Amino acid sequence: MPVTKKQLSGKRVVFGVGGSIAAYKAILLLRRLTDLGADVEVVMTTSACEFITPLTFQTLSGHPVHTNTFNPDDNMAHLRLAENADLILVSPATANLIGRFAQGMADDLLSTIILASHAPLLVVPAMDGGMWQHPLVQQNVKTLRETGVEILDPEFGSLASGHIGWGRFPSEEAIMSSIISLLTMPGDYHDEVVLITAGPTHEAIDPVRYIANRSSGKMGYALAQAAQKRGAQMVLVTGPTSLTPPPGIHTISVTTAEEMRDAVHKHFERATVVIMAAAVADYRPDQPAKTKLKKQGREQVSLALSPTPDILTSLSAQKSGQFMVGFAAETEHLIEEATRKLKAKGLDMIVANDVTKPGAGFGSDTNAAVVLDAHGLVADLPLMPKREMATKLLDLIRIRLNQQK
Ligand code: CTP
């Protein structure tokens, strides 16, 4: 009988199990993974061993279970596992594990492997709803997400504590679907050099004051991380944001529109895709004061402003096959304004969002947008997390790139 290749054949998963009652669900996940052909090595934390024995995982995975950094028979396990993994899954992940990962600690085998690896990391939290909602846990989750870690949100339902609320371990189907999508992520940007801008620019008024806008940079960072995961060679040019530079991405920090223009032009020639998600200031103070401006009584003051360079327009003039995508954040006449900018700036595609809509404004973790090209509406993307929108936008760009070939 011919042997049929299973969906996850050849995929190597490091499966970290944390100390939660949901550890028993890890057994079912392990079974599903091996049934699909994945080669899984299990790493248990000390607390996980309080809930379940390593022997169970050893029997199901067909590999010895790793529980100790200092194993004389396998003292390089952390490096071997880190380098060979196609995915690191941590399920269940306790609040303690999430906190230690977010702090970059390497005080046990699992956290050491995570720091030593470049593989995608999927974390499935399991804790009581009150703990999940604690601001410190949420801060740690945010930190991890900003560095590209996938974290599944707990679901609503009955909890081990007897309470009903948020904190329920996600369903096996939801976890498996995330695992499969991470392990089978298309490497469809391998041949692309993607140049992305993100965040606002700051234009100095004097040494302590500046003109800026409300852009957080989240959309541009999400796009950069998504393109990197799909194999792109990435250059991220970022204005001032509170986000952590994504690991492994060539990130150039700039402050002003002129600095952003210079950085973008420097990398434009070798780029194949340019996505200008930055909210570039249109004007800058004519003559920034060298010393702090002093209050001049009660009379009105006015600030003379000069236009900044329009980066996209200057890039279009030098275009040599780059696929160019702009963004338009509008408060009215969304389609008309986006269509005008698409033509005026010589773009291949524009992503337009109405920033007055709840959840689609600056700083939010979600976005809703319409995508247009020279032929009109390409897609109407409803409210969704920016990470998801990044994937959808890259899918749309990929389709156009394929059509150009
Ligand atoms: N943009 C740019 N250079 C600028 C201003 C904007 O390259 N000096 C880019 C933005 O990164 C975005 C697109 O142009 O991709 C549209 O930006 P937006 O601010 O909406 O357009 P403006 O041309 O500035 O028009 P307005 O402010 O009048 O809406």
Side-chain angles (χ1 to χ4, degrees):
M1 254 208 346
V3 182
T4 48
K5 196 168 177 291
K6 295 180 178 170
Q7 193 178 13
L8 299 182
S9 289
K11 300 290 183 193
R12 284 173 299 208
V13 178
V14 170
F15 191 161
V17 182
S20 149
I21 182 61
Y24 81 91
K25 296 193 176 173
I27 299 170
L28 309 173
L29 280 175
L30 173 58
R31 192 63 201 258
R32 293 276 298 268
L33 286 169
T34 53
D35 281 352
L36 290 175
D39 183 19
V40 188
E41 291 206 43
V42 176
V43 179
M44 295 177 73
T45 65
T46 311
S47 342
C49 299
E50 298 285 332
F51 286 87
I52 220 145
T53 67
L55 187 61
T56 314
F57 290 110
Q58 179 167 327
T59 311
L60 289 171
S61 68
H63 291 290
V65 169
H66 308 272
T67 53
N68 180 5
T69 319
F70 308 106
N71 178 356
D73 298 328
D74 193 2
N75 57 6
M76 284 296 158
H78 66 290
L79 293 182
R80 182 177 53 78
L81 291 167
E83 279 163 20
N84 293 340
D86 295 306
L87 172 73
I88 300 179
L89 164 70
V90 182
S91 175
T94 57
N96 175 50
L97 272 181
I98 289 172
R100 282 170 39 234
F101 298 160
Q103 296 308 311
M105 292 177 75
D107 55 353
D108 70 356
L109 183 58
L110 182 56
S111 51
T112 308
I113 293 169
I114 284 170
L115 277 195
S117 181
H118 292 295
L121 172 60
L122 174 65
V123 171
V124 189
M127 65 195 78
D128 200 57
M131 281 175 89
W132 170 251
Q133 278 157 358
H134 193 285
L136 288 174
V137 173
Q138 285 302 309
Q139 182 57 47
N140 290 332
V141 167
K142 183 168 172 270
T143 304
L144 288 172
R145 281 187 169 145
E146 282 173 9
T147 54
V149 178
E150 291 282 335
I151 303 185
L152 292 192
D153 284 321
E155 294 176 358
F156 188 83
S158 57
L159 306 169
S161 60
H163 296 127
I164 294 188
W166 291 102
R168 200 176 151 77
F169 197 63
S171 71
E172 204 177 305
E173 287 319 311
I175 302 170
M176 283 308 294
S177 128
S178 296
I179 295 172
I180 291 169
S181 83
L182 282 169
L183 280 172
T184 56
M185 182 112 57
D188 56 354
Y189 274 78
H190 267 302
D191 293 336
E192 312 299 341
V193 179
V194 181
L195 172 58
I196 296 181
T197 64
T201 64
H202 288 181
E203 311 297 332
I205 297 171
D206 68 13
V208 293
R209 306 178 180 97
Y210 55 81
I211 296 180
N213 58 65
R214 296 179 195 279
S215 169
S216 64
K218 286 179 185 168
M219 192 66 239
Y221 277 59
L223 279 161
Q225 285 169 331
Q228 182 201 31
K229 283 184 185 157
R230 289 165 76 154
Q233 205 184 316
M234 274 301 314
V235 180
L236 173 65
V237 177
T238 176
T241 74
S242 61
L243 305 176
T244 315
I249 292 185
H250 178 31
T251 304
I252 302 162
S253 296
V254 296
T255 304
T256 65
E258 284 193 12
E259 287 170 13
M260 185 171 278
R261 178 205 49 197
D262 293 348
V264 166
H265 273 268
K266 200 166 156 201
H267 294 274
F268 183 60
E269 205 175 298
R270 64 185 195 97
T272 56
V273 178
V274 177
I275 308 178
M276 281 285 300
V280 188
D282 289 326
Y283 293 92
R284 63 179 174 78
D286 246 349
Q287 299 285 340
K290 296 234 173 345
T291 52
K292 186 183 170 195
L293 293 172
K294 288 291 165 190
K295 191 156 58 187
Q296 293 160 20
R298 305 287 310 158
E299 71 266 28
Q300 280 192 339
V301 289
S302 49
L303 200 57
L305 301 175
S306 304
T308 57
D310 192 297
I311 303 173
L312 273 176
T313 306
S314 65
L315 291 178
S316 294
Q318 299 179 12
K319 190 168 156 176
S320 57
Q322 291 86 348
F323 190 88
M324 307 247 302
V325 183
F327 270 70
E330 306 293 342
T331 53
E332 53 186 356
H333 312 307
L334 185 65
I335 306 279
E336 294 82 344
E337 277 302 294
T339 309
R340 182 180 66 75
K341 288 175 188 176
L342 178 89
K343 286 197 189 121
K345 294 176 191 252
L347 303 177
D348 297 292
M349 196 178 261
I350 192 157
V351 183
N353 62 327
D354 179 346
V355 288
T356 63
K357 273 195 185 161
F362 285 127
S364 141
D365 286 325
T366 52
N367 203 357
V370 289
V371 182
L372 307 167
D373 70 5
H375 305 290
L377 188 68
V378 174
D380 189 349
L381 303 174
L383 195 67
M384 63 183 82
K386 283 183 173 165
R387 283 173 299 135
E388 216 173 288
M389 179 157 294
T391 300
K392 295 225 180 311
L393 293 175
L394 291 177
D395 289 346
L396 293 171
I397 296 168
R398 186 67 260 172
I399 292 169
R400 288 296 188 282
L401 292 172
N402 292 346
Q403 287 166 350
Q404 283 180 356
K405 280 196 171 149

